[in-house]
Amino acid sequence: MGLTFEMEPKTPFGGSLSTLAVIDVASSAIVRKPAALGWEEAAGLPLVGLTAKTTLSEPLLRLPPSEGDSQQTIVVLGGSSGVGQYVVQLGKAAGLRVIATCSATSEHFVRSLGADEVIDYTAGSVLESLRVVKPAQGFVTIVDCVGGTELLDDLPALLTPKTDSFPHGGSYTTIVGDKTDRSTLGGAMLLDTDRTMRARQDASQAGSLPYRYACILLDMNAEWLADLAARAADGRLKVPIDSTYAFEQAREAYERLGTARAKGKVVVEVQAAT
Ligand SMILES: NC(=O)c1ccc[n+]([C@@H]2O[C@H](COP(=O)([O-])OP(=O)(O)OC[C@H]3O[C@@H](n4cnc5c(N)ncnc54)[C@H](OP(=O)(O)O)[C@@H]3O)[C@@H](O)[C@H]2O)c1
């Protein structure tokens, strides 16, 4: 199993809906599929699992010195989204307290993944709800899997502040960026064209923001992928599959994806699994 990503495909074999792929092993995360892991799960795990793992790893997530037995708290915006499901699970597995946003219809699902608290983003202001549940030391990270700017002005009050004992401060990590429109590419691609986001990220890197901001692309880390696959194979990590389509139904698969209502991965069988 593996994940490849080519910004500028050099071969006619780019894309994942193909029976043959040319893979540059130097820039890809390639690991052996554990026997106990199904093919659908193996197909569904890499992109979202590695993106989630990236958001919860250094340098993006740094934990302040613990105070007593209080748990560090993270927020996942879009806990039911493709990546958000894994941020919730990996956050819990790392011993963090997880607060996730989703609609009421997804609450049971997101709690089943381990979320300690759920905020219904359709029922009122997410910012107001976060102000209410914020721990005294602030959130150590907010991982944004939906996009938008709603929380940005209030991050200094929401995130763990920079102090002498914790000079990093809390982080806001987005995999989407300021846009919410699903028809345009987001994530780190937006940094090339969006000056406001670029200026914010530059200011964060220069240390002149009171918190850390990053709009990121996943890290192609084969060790992480092997670990995620092992967890999925022995049941420590759930790999929700929304639906599976035959290759001939690829159009329907994309239509399902376009609804933004899929709970888990939409899988296309390029070749029927044997
Ligand atoms: N940077 C990267 O490396 C990277 C990697 C993967 C994906 N992405 C990006 O991540 C974005 C999400 O992709 P995806 O495939 O994960 O999406 P998705 O699974 O299709 O997301 C749909 C989910 O988003 C939830 N949602 C929609 N609006 C929300 C809001 N305002 N607050 C909270 N939840 C909300 C919905 O929850 P309910 O059903 O509960 O309403 C739905 O479950 C895309 O823009 C994609 O390009 C980036």
Side-chain angles (χ1 to χ4, degrees):
M1 62 186 290
L3 181 64
T4 63
F5 189 84
E6 288 188 64
M7 298 288 283
E8 293 168 13
K10 300 177 200 66
T11 73
F13 296 108
S16 51
L17 294 188
S18 56
T19 52
L20 189 63
V22 175
I23 294 169
D24 175 4
V25 291
S27 62
S28 307
I30 306 285
V31 301
R32 191 171 286 280
K33 179 183 84 63
L37 188 65
W39 288 104
E40 291 181 3
E41 286 75 17
L45 176 64
L47 176 78
V48 282
L50 282 177
T51 304
K53 177 71 182 168
T54 305
T55 67
L56 293 185
S57 302
E58 291 192 4
L60 298 171
L61 174 62
R62 295 184 190 275
L63 296 178
S66 57
E67 288 172 22
D69 35 342
S70 69
Q71 254 184 322
Q72 316 276 13
T73 307
I74 68 168
V75 175
V76 186
L77 302 176
S80 65
S81 70
V83 174
Q85 297 166 21
Y86 291 88
V87 184
V88 170
Q89 293 189 78
L90 295 178
K92 279 311 287 179
L96 301 166
R97 183 163 165 266
V98 177
I99 298 175
T101 65
C102 65
S103 66
T105 51
S106 302
E107 176 172 352
H108 177 72
F109 174 64
V110 174
R111 284 193 188 276
S112 76
L113 299 174
D116 297 286
E117 278 194 55
V118 163
I119 293 171
D120 179 357
Y121 72 91
T122 66
S125 159
V126 169
L127 173 60
E128 290 309 322
S129 300
L130 288 177
R131 282 192 178 128
V132 171
V133 297
K134 181 180 82 91
Q137 66 274 32
F139 302 114
V140 287
T141 191
I142 297 175
V143 179
D144 167 36
C145 302
V146 291
T149 56
E150 185 188 353
L151 301 184
L152 293 180
D153 288 345
D154 293 272
L155 291 178
L158 293 173
L159 292 168
T160 309
K162 291 182 177 179
T163 58
D164 288 345
S165 61
F166 185 51
H168 305 292
S171 58
Y172 183 91
T173 301
T174 178
I175 65 164
V176 183
D178 290 4
K179 63 119 196 175
T180 51
D181 173 11
R182 288 177 60 88
S183 65
T184 54
L185 275 178
M189 264 69 105
L190 255 192
L191 282 173
D192 292 335
T193 54
D194 189 310
R195 287 189 188 174
T196 309
M197 283 174 54
R198 169 55 71 187
R200 195 184 302 131
Q201 182 147 311
D202 288 348
S204 168
Q205 283 169 356
S208 52
L209 288 183
Y211 59 90
R212 289 177 297 124
Y213 171 89
C215 180
I216 62 118
L217 197 57
L218 74 169
D219 188 345
M220 298 282 191
N221 184 315
E223 267 180 45
W224 288 353
L225 184 56
D227 178 59
L228 292 167
R231 288 166 185 253
D234 67 20
R236 281 174 293 158
L237 187 68
K238 291 181 188 162
V239 184
I241 302 294
D242 175 79
S243 44
T244 303
Y245 293 83
F247 182 70
E248 295 70 29
Q249 299 172 300
R251 178 181 294 276
E252 285 99 307
Y254 278 102
E255 283 168 0
R256 173 66 186 155
L257 206 55
T259 65
R261 295 267 79 85
K263 293 282 171 286
K265 277 287 160 186
V266 175
V267 175
V268 176
E269 285 186 324
V270 173
Q271 204 168 8
T274 51

